[in-house]
Coordinates of all heavy atoms in Angstrom, one line a residue:
M282 N 3.4 0.7 -13.9 CA 4.1 0.2 -12.7 C 3.9 1.3 -11.6 O 3.6 0.9 -10.5 CB 5.6 0.0 -13.0 CG 6.3 -0.6 -11.8 SD 5.9 -2.3 -11.4 CE 7.5 -2.7 -10.6
A283 N 4.2 2.5 -11.9 CA 4.1 3.6 -10.9 C 2.6 3.7 -10.4 O 2.4 3.8 -9.2 CB 4.5 4.9 -11.4
E284 N 1.7 3.6 -11.3 CA 0.3 3.6 -10.9 C -0.1 2.5 -10.0 O -0.8 2.6 -9.0 CB -0.6 3.6 -12.2 CG -1.0 4.9 -12.7 CD -1.9 4.7 -13.9 OE1 -1.4 4.5 -15.0 OE2 -3.1 4.7 -13.7
G285 N 0.5 1.3 -10.4 CA 0.2 0.1 -9.5 C 0.7 0.3 -8.1 O 0.1 -0.1 -7.2
T286 N 1.9 0.9 -8.0 CA 2.5 1.1 -6.7 C 1.6 2.0 -5.9 O 1.3 1.7 -4.7 CB 3.9 1.9 -6.9 OG1 4.7 1.1 -7.8 CG2 4.6 2.0 -5.6
L287 N 1.1 3.1 -6.5 CA 0.2 4.0 -5.8 C -1.1 3.3 -5.4 O -1.5 3.4 -4.2 CB -0.1 5.1 -6.8 CG -0.6 6.4 -6.1 CD1 0.5 7.0 -5.3 CD2 -1.1 7.4 -7.2
L288 N -1.7 2.5 -6.3 CA -2.9 1.8 -5.9 C -2.6 0.8 -4.8 O -3.5 0.6 -3.9 CB -3.4 1.0 -7.2 CG -4.0 1.9 -8.2 CD1 -4.1 1.1 -9.6 CD2 -5.4 2.3 -7.8
Y289 N -1.5 0.1 -4.9 CA -1.2 -0.9 -3.8 C -1.0 -0.2 -2.5 O -1.6 -0.6 -1.5 CB 0.1 -1.7 -4.2 CG 0.4 -2.7 -3.1 CD1 -0.2 -4.0 -3.1 CD2 1.2 -2.4 -2.1 CE1 0.1 -4.9 -2.1 CE2 1.5 -3.3 -1.0 CZ 0.9 -4.6 -1.1 OH 1.2 -5.5 -0.1
V290 N -0.3 0.9 -2.5 CA 0.0 1.6 -1.3 C -1.3 2.2 -0.7 O -1.5 2.2 0.5 CB 1.1 2.8 -1.5 CG1 1.1 3.7 -0.3 CG2 2.4 2.2 -1.8
S291 N -2.2 2.7 -1.5 CA -3.4 3.3 -0.9 C -4.4 2.2 -0.5 O -5.3 2.5 0.3 CB -4.0 4.3 -1.9 OG -3.7 4.1 -3.2
N292 N -4.4 1.0 -1.1 CA -5.4 0.0 -0.8 C -5.0 -1.2 0.0 O -5.8 -1.8 0.6 CB -6.1 -0.4 -2.1 CG -6.8 0.7 -2.8 OD1 -7.8 1.1 -2.4 ND2 -6.2 1.2 -3.9
C293 N -3.8 -1.6 -0.2 CA -3.4 -2.9 0.4 C -2.3 -2.9 1.4 O -2.2 -3.9 2.2 CB -2.9 -3.8 -0.8 SG -3.7 -3.6 -2.4
V294 N -1.5 -1.8 1.4 CA -0.3 -1.9 2.2 C -0.5 -2.0 3.7 O 0.3 -2.6 4.4 CB 0.6 -0.7 1.8 CG1 0.2 0.6 2.6 CG2 2.1 -0.9 2.1
F295 N -1.6 -1.4 4.2 CA -1.8 -1.4 5.7 C -1.9 -2.8 6.2 O -1.5 -3.2 7.3 CB -3.1 -0.7 6.1 CG -3.5 0.4 5.2 CD1 -4.5 0.2 4.2 CD2 -2.8 1.6 5.3 CE1 -4.8 1.3 3.4 CE2 -3.1 2.6 4.4 CZ -4.1 2.5 3.5
C296 N -2.5 -3.7 5.4 CA -2.6 -5.1 5.8 C -1.6 -6.0 5.3 O -1.2 -6.9 6.0 CB -4.0 -5.6 5.4 SG -5.4 -4.6 6.1
H297 N -1.1 -5.8 4.1 CA -0.2 -6.8 3.5 C 1.3 -6.4 3.5 O 2.1 -7.2 3.1 CB -0.7 -7.1 2.1 CG -1.9 -7.9 2.1 ND1 -2.0 -9.2 2.4 CD2 -3.2 -7.6 1.7 CE1 -3.2 -9.7 2.3 NE2 -4.0 -8.7 1.8
G298 N 1.6 -5.2 3.9 CA 3.0 -4.9 3.9 C 3.6 -4.5 2.6 O 2.8 -4.6 1.6
V299 N 4.8 -4.2 2.5 CA 5.4 -3.8 1.3 C 6.2 -5.0 0.7 O 7.2 -5.4 1.3 CB 6.4 -2.6 1.5 CG1 7.0 -2.1 0.2 CG2 5.6 -1.4 2.1
P300 N 5.9 -5.4 -0.5 CA 6.6 -6.6 -1.0 C 8.1 -6.3 -1.2 O 8.5 -5.2 -1.6 CB 6.0 -6.8 -2.4 CG 4.7 -6.0 -2.4 CD 4.8 -5.0 -1.4
G301 N 8.9 -7.2 -0.7 CA 10.4 -7.0 -0.9 C 11.0 -6.2 0.2 O 12.2 -6.2 0.3
V302 N 10.2 -5.5 1.0 CA 10.7 -4.7 2.1 C 10.6 -5.4 3.4 O 11.5 -5.5 4.2 CB 10.1 -3.3 2.1 CG1 10.6 -2.5 3.3 CG2 10.4 -2.5 0.8
D303 N 9.4 -5.8 3.7 CA 9.2 -6.6 4.9 C 8.4 -7.8 4.6 O 7.9 -8.0 3.5 CB 8.5 -5.8 6.0 CG 7.2 -5.2 5.6 OD1 6.4 -6.0 5.0 OD2 7.0 -4.0 5.8
K304 N 8.1 -8.7 5.6 CA 7.3 -9.9 5.3 C 5.9 -9.7 5.7 O 5.2 -10.7 5.9 CB 8.0 -11.1 5.9 CG 9.4 -11.4 5.3 CD 9.8 -12.8 5.6 CE 11.2 -13.0 5.0 NZ 11.4 -14.0 4.0
G305 N 5.5 -8.5 5.9 CA 4.1 -8.3 6.4 C 4.0 -8.6 7.9 O 4.9 -9.0 8.5
G306 N 2.8 -8.3 8.4 CA 2.6 -8.6 9.9 C 2.1 -10.0 10.0 O 2.8 -10.9 9.8
N307 N 0.8 -10.0 10.4 CA 0.2 -11.4 10.6 C -0.3 -11.9 9.3 O -0.7 -13.0 9.2 CB -1.0 -11.2 11.6 CG -0.5 -10.8 12.9 OD1 0.5 -11.2 13.4 ND2 -1.2 -9.9 13.6
L308 N -0.3 -11.0 8.3 CA -0.9 -11.4 7.0 C 0.2 -11.7 6.0 O 1.3 -11.3 6.1 CB -1.7 -10.2 6.5 CG -3.0 -10.0 7.3 CD1 -3.7 -8.8 6.7 CD2 -3.8 -11.2 7.4
P309 N -0.2 -12.5 5.0 CA 0.8 -12.8 4.0 C 1.3 -11.6 3.2 O 0.5 -10.7 2.9 CB 0.0 -13.7 3.0 CG -1.4 -13.9 3.5 CD -1.6 -13.0 4.7
N310 N 2.6 -11.4 3.1 CA 3.1 -10.4 2.3 C 3.0 -10.9 0.9 O 3.5 -12.0 0.5 CB 4.6 -10.1 2.6 CG 5.1 -9.0 1.8 OD1 5.0 -9.0 0.6 ND2 5.8 -8.1 2.4
L311 N 2.3 -10.2 0.0 CA 1.9 -10.7 -1.3 C 3.1 -11.0 -2.2 O 3.0 -11.8 -3.1 CB 0.9 -9.7 -1.9 CG -0.4 -9.5 -1.1 CD1 -1.3 -8.5 -1.8 CD2 -1.1 -10.8 -0.9
G312 N 4.2 -10.4 -1.9 CA 5.4 -10.6 -2.7 C 5.9 -12.1 -2.5 O 6.6 -12.5 -3.3
Y313 N 5.4 -12.7 -1.5 CA 5.9 -14.1 -1.2 C 4.8 -15.1 -1.5 O 5.0 -16.3 -1.2 CB 6.4 -14.2 0.2 CG 7.6 -13.4 0.5 CD1 7.4 -12.1 1.0 CD2 8.9 -13.9 0.2 CE1 8.5 -11.3 1.2 CE2 9.9 -13.1 0.5 CZ 9.8 -11.8 0.9 OH 10.9 -11.0 1.2
R314 N 3.7 -14.7 -2.1 CA 2.6 -15.6 -2.5 C 3.0 -16.3 -3.9 O 3.7 -15.6 -4.6 CB 1.3 -14.9 -2.6 CG 0.8 -14.3 -1.3 CD 0.6 -15.3 -0.2 NE -0.2 -16.4 -0.6 CZ -0.3 -17.5 0.1 NH1 0.4 -17.7 1.2 NH2 -1.2 -18.5 -0.3
P315 N 2.5 -17.4 -4.1 CA 2.8 -18.1 -5.4 C 2.3 -17.2 -6.6 O 1.3 -16.6 -6.5 CB 2.0 -19.4 -5.4 CG 1.6 -19.6 -4.0 CD 1.6 -18.2 -3.3
A316 N 3.1 -17.2 -7.7 CA 2.7 -16.3 -8.8 C 1.4 -16.7 -9.3 O 0.6 -15.8 -9.8 CB 3.8 -16.5 -9.9
A317 N 1.0 -17.9 -9.3 CA -0.3 -18.3 -9.8 C -1.5 -17.6 -9.1 O -2.5 -17.2 -9.7 CB -0.5 -19.8 -9.7
E318 N -1.3 -17.5 -7.8 CA -2.3 -16.8 -7.0 C -2.4 -15.4 -7.3 O -3.5 -14.8 -7.5 CB -2.0 -17.0 -5.5 CG -3.0 -16.3 -4.6 CD -2.6 -16.5 -3.1 OE1 -2.5 -17.6 -2.7 OE2 -2.3 -15.5 -2.5
I319 N -1.3 -14.7 -7.5 CA -1.3 -13.3 -7.9 C -1.8 -13.1 -9.3 O -2.5 -12.2 -9.6 CB 0.1 -12.7 -7.7 CG1 0.6 -12.8 -6.3 CG2 0.2 -11.3 -8.1 CD1 -0.3 -12.2 -5.2
G320 N -1.6 -14.2 -10.1 CA -2.1 -14.1 -11.5 C -3.6 -14.1 -11.5 O -4.3 -13.5 -12.4
N321 N -4.2 -14.7 -10.5 CA -5.7 -14.6 -10.3 C -6.1 -13.6 -9.3 O -7.1 -13.9 -8.6 CB -6.2 -16.0 -9.9 CG -6.0 -17.1 -10.9 OD1 -6.2 -16.8 -12.1 ND2 -5.6 -18.2 -10.5
L322 N -5.5 -12.5 -9.2 CA -5.7 -11.6 -8.2 C -7.1 -11.1 -8.0 O -7.6 -11.0 -6.9 CB -4.7 -10.4 -8.4 CG -4.5 -9.5 -7.2 CD1 -4.0 -10.3 -6.0 CD2 -3.5 -8.4 -7.5
E323 N -7.8 -11.0 -9.2 CA -9.2 -10.5 -9.1 C -10.1 -11.4 -8.3 O -11.0 -11.0 -7.7 CB -9.8 -10.4 -10.5 CG -9.3 -9.2 -11.3 CD -10.2 -8.9 -12.5 OE1 -11.4 -9.1 -12.5 OE2 -9.6 -8.4 -13.5
T324 N -9.7 -12.7 -8.4 CA -10.5 -13.7 -7.6 C -10.5 -13.4 -6.1 O -11.5 -13.7 -5.4 CB -9.9 -15.1 -7.8 OG1 -9.5 -15.2 -9.2 CG2 -10.8 -16.2 -7.4
Y325 N -9.4 -12.8 -5.6 CA -9.3 -12.5 -4.2 C -9.8 -11.1 -3.9 O -10.3 -10.9 -2.8 CB -7.8 -12.6 -3.8 CG -7.3 -14.0 -3.9 CD1 -6.6 -14.4 -5.0 CD2 -7.5 -14.9 -2.8 CE1 -6.2 -15.8 -5.1 CE2 -7.0 -16.2 -2.9 CZ -6.3 -16.6 -4.0 OH -5.9 -17.9 -4.1
V326 N -9.7 -10.2 -4.9 CA -9.9 -8.8 -4.5 C -11.4 -8.5 -4.7 O -12.0 -7.7 -3.9 CB -9.1 -7.9 -5.5 CG1 -9.5 -6.5 -5.3 CG2 -7.6 -8.1 -5.2
F327 N -12.1 -9.2 -5.6 CA -13.5 -9.0 -5.8 C -14.3 -10.1 -5.2 O -14.5 -11.1 -5.7 CB -13.9 -8.8 -7.3 CG -13.2 -7.6 -8.0 CD1 -12.6 -7.8 -9.2 CD2 -13.2 -6.4 -7.3 CE1 -11.9 -6.7 -9.8 CE2 -12.6 -5.3 -7.9 CZ -12.0 -5.4 -9.2
N328 N -14.8 -9.8 -3.9 CA -15.7 -10.8 -3.2 C -15.1 -12.2 -3.3 O -15.7 -13.1 -3.6 CB -17.1 -10.8 -3.9 CG -18.1 -11.4 -2.9 OD1 -17.8 -11.5 -1.7 ND2 -19.2 -11.9 -3.5
G329 N -13.8 -12.2 -2.8 CA -13.1 -13.5 -2.9 C -13.4 -14.4 -1.7 O -14.2 -14.1 -0.8
P330 N -12.7 -15.6 -1.7 CA -13.0 -16.6 -0.7 C -12.6 -16.2 0.7 O -12.9 -16.9 1.6 CB -12.2 -17.8 -1.2 CG -11.1 -17.2 -2.1 CD -11.7 -15.9 -2.7
L331 N -11.8 -15.2 0.8 CA -11.2 -14.8 2.1 C -11.9 -13.7 2.8 O -11.4 -13.2 3.8 CB -9.7 -14.6 2.0 CG -8.9 -15.8 1.5 CD1 -7.5 -15.4 1.1 CD2 -8.9 -16.9 2.5
V332 N -13.0 -13.2 2.2 CA -13.7 -12.1 2.8 C -14.1 -12.4 4.3 O -13.9 -11.6 5.2 CB -15.0 -11.8 2.0 CG1 -16.0 -10.9 2.8 CG2 -14.6 -11.1 0.7
S333 N -14.5 -13.6 4.5 CA -14.9 -14.0 5.9 C -13.7 -14.0 6.8 O -13.8 -14.0 8.0 CB -15.5 -15.4 5.9 OG -14.6 -16.4 5.4
R334 N -12.5 -14.1 6.3 CA -11.3 -14.1 7.1 C -10.7 -12.7 7.2 O -9.7 -12.5 7.8 CB -10.2 -15.0 6.6 CG -10.7 -16.4 6.6 CD -9.8 -17.4 6.0 NE -8.5 -17.5 6.8 CZ -7.5 -18.4 6.5 NH1 -7.7 -19.3 5.6 NH2 -6.4 -18.3 7.2
G335 N -11.4 -11.6 6.6 CA -11.0 -10.3 6.8 C -10.4 -9.6 5.6 O -10.0 -8.4 5.7
M336 N -10.3 -10.3 4.5 CA -9.9 -9.7 3.3 C -11.0 -8.9 2.7 O -12.1 -9.4 2.3 CB -9.4 -10.7 2.3 CG -9.1 -10.3 0.9 SD -7.7 -9.1 0.8 CE -8.0 -8.4 -0.9
P337 N -10.9 -7.5 2.6 CA -12.0 -6.7 2.1 C -12.4 -7.1 0.7 O -11.6 -7.5 -0.1 CB -11.5 -5.3 2.2 CG -10.2 -5.3 2.9 CD -9.7 -6.7 2.9
D338 N -13.7 -6.8 0.4 CA -14.2 -6.9 -1.0 C -14.1 -5.5 -1.6 O -14.6 -4.6 -1.2 CB -15.7 -7.3 -0.9 CG -16.3 -7.4 -2.3 OD1 -15.6 -7.3 -3.3 OD2 -17.6 -7.5 -2.3
F339 N -13.3 -5.5 -2.7 CA -13.0 -4.2 -3.4 C -14.0 -3.9 -4.5 O -13.7 -3.0 -5.3 CB -11.6 -4.1 -3.8 CG -10.6 -3.9 -2.7 CD1 -10.0 -4.9 -2.0 CD2 -10.4 -2.6 -2.2 CE1 -9.1 -4.7 -1.0 CE2 -9.5 -2.4 -1.1 CZ -8.9 -3.5 -0.5
T340 N -15.0 -4.7 -4.7 CA -16.0 -4.5 -5.7 C -16.5 -3.1 -5.7 O -17.0 -2.6 -4.6 CB -17.2 -5.5 -5.6 OG1 -16.7 -6.8 -5.5 CG2 -18.1 -5.4 -6.8
G341 N -16.5 -2.4 -6.8 CA -17.0 -1.0 -6.8 C -15.9 0.0 -6.3 O -16.1 1.2 -6.5
K342 N -14.8 -0.4 -5.7 CA -13.8 0.5 -5.3 C -12.6 0.4 -6.2 O -11.9 1.4 -6.4 CB -13.3 0.1 -3.9 CG -14.5 0.1 -2.9 CD -14.0 0.0 -1.4 CE -15.1 0.0 -0.4 NZ -15.4 -1.4 0.1
L343 N -12.3 -0.7 -6.8 CA -11.2 -0.8 -7.7 C -11.8 -1.4 -9.0 O -12.8 -2.2 -9.0 CB -10.2 -1.8 -7.2 CG -9.4 -1.4 -6.0 CD1 -8.4 -2.5 -5.6 CD2 -8.6 -0.1 -6.3
T344 N -11.2 -1.1 -10.2 CA -11.6 -1.6 -11.4 C -10.7 -2.8 -11.8 O -9.7 -3.0 -11.2 CB -11.6 -0.6 -12.5 OG1 -10.2 -0.2 -12.7 CG2 -12.4 0.6 -12.2
S345 N -11.1 -3.6 -12.8 CA -10.2 -4.7 -13.2 C -8.9 -4.1 -13.7 O -7.9 -4.7 -13.5 CB -10.9 -5.4 -14.4 OG -12.1 -6.0 -14.0
D346 N -8.9 -3.0 -14.3 CA -7.7 -2.3 -14.7 C -6.8 -2.0 -13.5 O -5.6 -2.2 -13.6 CB -8.1 -1.1 -15.5 CG -7.0 -0.7 -16.5 OD1 -6.5 -1.6 -17.1 OD2 -6.7 0.5 -16.6
D347 N -7.4 -1.5 -12.5 CA -6.6 -1.2 -11.3 C -6.0 -2.5 -10.8 O -4.8 -2.5 -10.4 CB -7.6 -0.7 -10.1 CG -8.1 0.7 -10.4 OD1 -7.5 1.4 -11.2 OD2 -9.1 1.0 -9.8
V348 N -6.7 -3.6 -10.8 CA -6.2 -4.8 -10.2 C -5.0 -5.3 -11.1 O -4.0 -5.8 -10.6 CB -7.3 -5.9 -10.1 CG1 -6.7 -7.2 -9.7 CG2 -8.3 -5.4 -9.1
R349 N -5.2 -5.1 -12.4 CA -4.1 -5.5 -13.3 C -2.8 -4.7 -13.0 O -1.7 -5.2 -13.0 CB -4.4 -5.2 -14.8 CG -4.8 -6.4 -15.6 CD -4.9 -6.2 -17.0 NE -5.7 -5.1 -17.4 CZ -7.1 -5.2 -17.5 NH1 -7.6 -6.4 -17.3 NH2 -7.8 -4.2 -17.9
K350 N -3.0 -3.4 -12.7 CA -1.8 -2.6 -12.3 C -1.2 -3.0 -11.0 O 0.0 -3.1 -10.8 CB -2.2 -1.1 -12.2 CG -2.4 -0.5 -13.6 CD -3.1 0.9 -13.5 CE -3.5 1.3 -14.9 NZ -4.5 2.4 -14.8
I351 N -2.1 -3.3 -10.0 CA -1.6 -3.8 -8.7 C -0.8 -5.1 -8.9 O 0.3 -5.3 -8.3 CB -2.7 -4.0 -7.7 CG1 -3.3 -2.6 -7.4 CG2 -2.3 -4.7 -6.5 CD1 -4.6 -2.6 -6.6
R352 N -1.4 -6.0 -9.8 CA -0.7 -7.2 -10.0 C 0.7 -7.1 -10.6 O 1.6 -7.7 -10.2 CB -1.6 -8.1 -11.0 CG -1.0 -9.5 -11.2 CD -2.0 -10.3 -12.0 NE -2.1 -9.7 -13.3 CZ -3.1 -9.9 -14.2 NH1 -4.1 -10.7 -13.8 NH2 -3.2 -9.3 -15.3
A353 N 0.8 -6.1 -11.5 CA 2.1 -5.8 -12.2 C 3.1 -5.4 -11.1 O 4.2 -5.7 -11.1 CB 1.9 -4.8 -13.3
F354 N 2.6 -4.5 -10.2 CA 3.4 -4.0 -9.1 C 3.9 -5.2 -8.2 O 5.1 -5.3 -7.9 CB 2.7 -3.0 -8.3 CG 3.3 -2.7 -7.0 CD1 4.6 -2.0 -6.9 CD2 2.8 -3.1 -5.8 CE1 5.2 -1.8 -5.7 CE2 3.4 -2.9 -4.6 CZ 4.6 -2.2 -4.6
I355 N 2.9 -6.0 -7.8 CA 3.3 -7.1 -6.9 C 4.3 -8.1 -7.6 O 5.3 -8.4 -7.0 CB 2.1 -7.9 -6.5 CG1 1.2 -7.0 -5.6 CG2 2.5 -9.2 -5.7 CD1 -0.2 -7.6 -5.3
L356 N 4.0 -8.4 -8.8 CA 4.9 -9.4 -9.5 C 6.2 -8.8 -9.8 O 7.2 -9.4 -9.7 CB 4.2 -9.8 -10.8 CG 3.0 -10.8 -10.7 CD1 2.4 -11.1 -12.0 CD2 3.4 -12.0 -9.9
G357 N 6.3 -7.5 -10.1 CA 7.5 -6.8 -10.4 C 8.4 -6.8 -9.1 O 9.6 -7.2 -9.2
T358 N 7.9 -6.4 -8.0 CA 8.7 -6.4 -6.8 C 9.0 -7.8 -6.3 O 10.1 -8.1 -5.8 CB 8.0 -5.7 -5.6 OG1 6.7 -6.2 -5.5 CG2 7.9 -4.2 -5.9
A359 N 8.0 -8.7 -6.5 CA 8.2 -10.1 -6.1 C 9.4 -10.7 -6.9 O 10.2 -11.4 -6.3 CB 7.0 -10.9 -6.3
D360 N 9.4 -10.4 -8.1 CA 10.5 -11.0 -8.9 C 11.9 -10.5 -8.4 O 12.9 -11.2 -8.5 CB 10.4 -10.6 -10.4 CG 9.3 -11.5 -11.0 OD1 8.9 -12.5 -10.4 OD2 8.9 -11.1 -12.2
A361 N 11.9 -9.3 -7.9 CA 13.2 -8.8 -7.4 C 13.7 -9.5 -6.1 O 14.8 -9.5 -5.9 CB 13.0 -7.3 -7.2
V362 N 12.7 -10.0 -5.3 CA 13.1 -10.6 -4.0 C 13.1 -12.1 -4.0 O 13.7 -12.7 -3.2 CB 12.3 -10.1 -2.9 CG1 12.4 -8.6 -2.7 CG2 10.8 -10.4 -3.1
R363 N 12.3 -12.7 -4.9 CA 12.1 -14.1 -4.9 C 13.4 -14.8 -5.3 O 14.1 -14.3 -6.2 CB 11.1 -14.4 -6.0 CG 10.5 -15.8 -5.8 CD 9.4 -16.1 -6.9 NE 8.2 -15.4 -6.7 CZ 7.5 -14.8 -7.6 NH1 7.9 -14.7 -8.9 NH2 6.3 -14.3 -7.3
P364 N 13.8 -15.9 -4.6 CA 15.1 -16.5 -4.9 C 15.0 -17.0 -6.4 O 14.0 -17.6 -6.8 CB 15.1 -17.7 -4.0 CG 14.1 -17.4 -2.9 CD 13.1 -16.5 -3.5
K365 N 16.1 -16.8 -7.1 CA 16.1 -17.3 -8.5 C 16.3 -18.8 -8.5 O 17.1 -19.3 -7.7 CB 17.2 -16.6 -9.2 CG 17.1 -15.1 -9.2 CD 16.0 -14.6 -10.2 CE 15.9 -13.0 -10.1 NZ 15.1 -12.6 -9.0
Q366 N 15.6 -19.5 -9.4 CA 15.8 -20.9 -9.5 C 17.1 -21.3 -10.2 O 17.3 -20.7 -11.3 CB 14.6 -21.5 -10.4 CG 13.3 -20.9 -10.1 CD 12.4 -21.8 -9.2 OE1 12.8 -22.9 -8.9 NE2 11.3 -21.3 -8.8
Ligands
LIG1387 C1 -8.2 -4.7 6.0 C2 -7.0 -5.5 5.7 C3 -6.8 -5.9 4.2 C4 -6.6 -5.1 3.2 C5 -6.7 -3.5 3.1 C6 -6.3 -5.9 2.1 N1 -6.3 -7.2 2.5 FE1 -5.8 -8.9 1.3 N2 -6.2 -10.1 2.9 C7 -6.5 -9.7 4.1 C8 -6.8 -10.8 5.0 C9 -7.2 -10.8 6.4 C10 -6.5 -12.0 4.2 C11 -6.7 -13.4 4.6 C12 -5.4 -13.9 5.0 C13 -5.5 -15.4 5.3 O1 -6.4 -15.8 5.9 O2 -4.5 -16.1 5.0 C14 -6.2 -11.5 2.9 C15 -5.8 -12.3 1.8 C16 -5.4 -11.8 0.6 C17 -4.9 -12.6 -0.5 C18 -4.8 -14.1 -0.5 C19 -3.5 -14.5 0.2 C20 -3.5 -15.8 0.8 O3 -3.2 -16.0 1.9 O4 -3.9 -16.8 0.0 C21 -4.6 -11.8 -1.6 C22 -4.1 -12.2 -2.9 C23 -4.9 -10.5 -1.1 N3 -5.4 -10.5 0.2 C24 -4.8 -9.3 -1.9 C25 -5.0 -8.0 -1.5 C26 -4.9 -6.9 -2.4 C27 -4.4 -6.9 -3.8 C28 -5.3 -5.8 -1.6 C29 -5.4 -4.3 -2.1 C30 -6.3 -4.1 -3.2 C31 -5.6 -6.3 -0.3 N4 -5.5 -7.7 -0.3 C32 -6.1 -5.5 0.8 C33 -6.6 -8.4 4.6 C34 -6.6 -7.2 3.8

């Protein structure tokens, strides 16, 4: 979890904000994205469908393991702020 926090802060926070703290700027705060989307995080991070809209391609910069840790961080903080059903 701590490693995921660090990875998120160094790679994603400028654009996506801090889950649970703010709602991001113009971009989706990932803490408020559907869990299914975050479950498929690699699909977005490695040459994903949103590259043309400004989401960087992290191929060669992050490993699958890194993305797993970032996912754990996002889901962990998201669970803390998401309204309970
Ligand atoms: C340079 C700014 C920037 C950085 C850094 C960045 N992103 Fe993004 N990201 C974007 C943009 C722009 C979009 C597209 C938003 C849209 O069009 O809805 C996006 C979309 C996404 C989406 C899909 C959200 C949606 O709207 O469906 C995910 C998931 C995502 N980013 C994850 C990440 C992760 C994880 C990191 C860190 C490894 C990261 N992003 C770093 C700019 C960035």
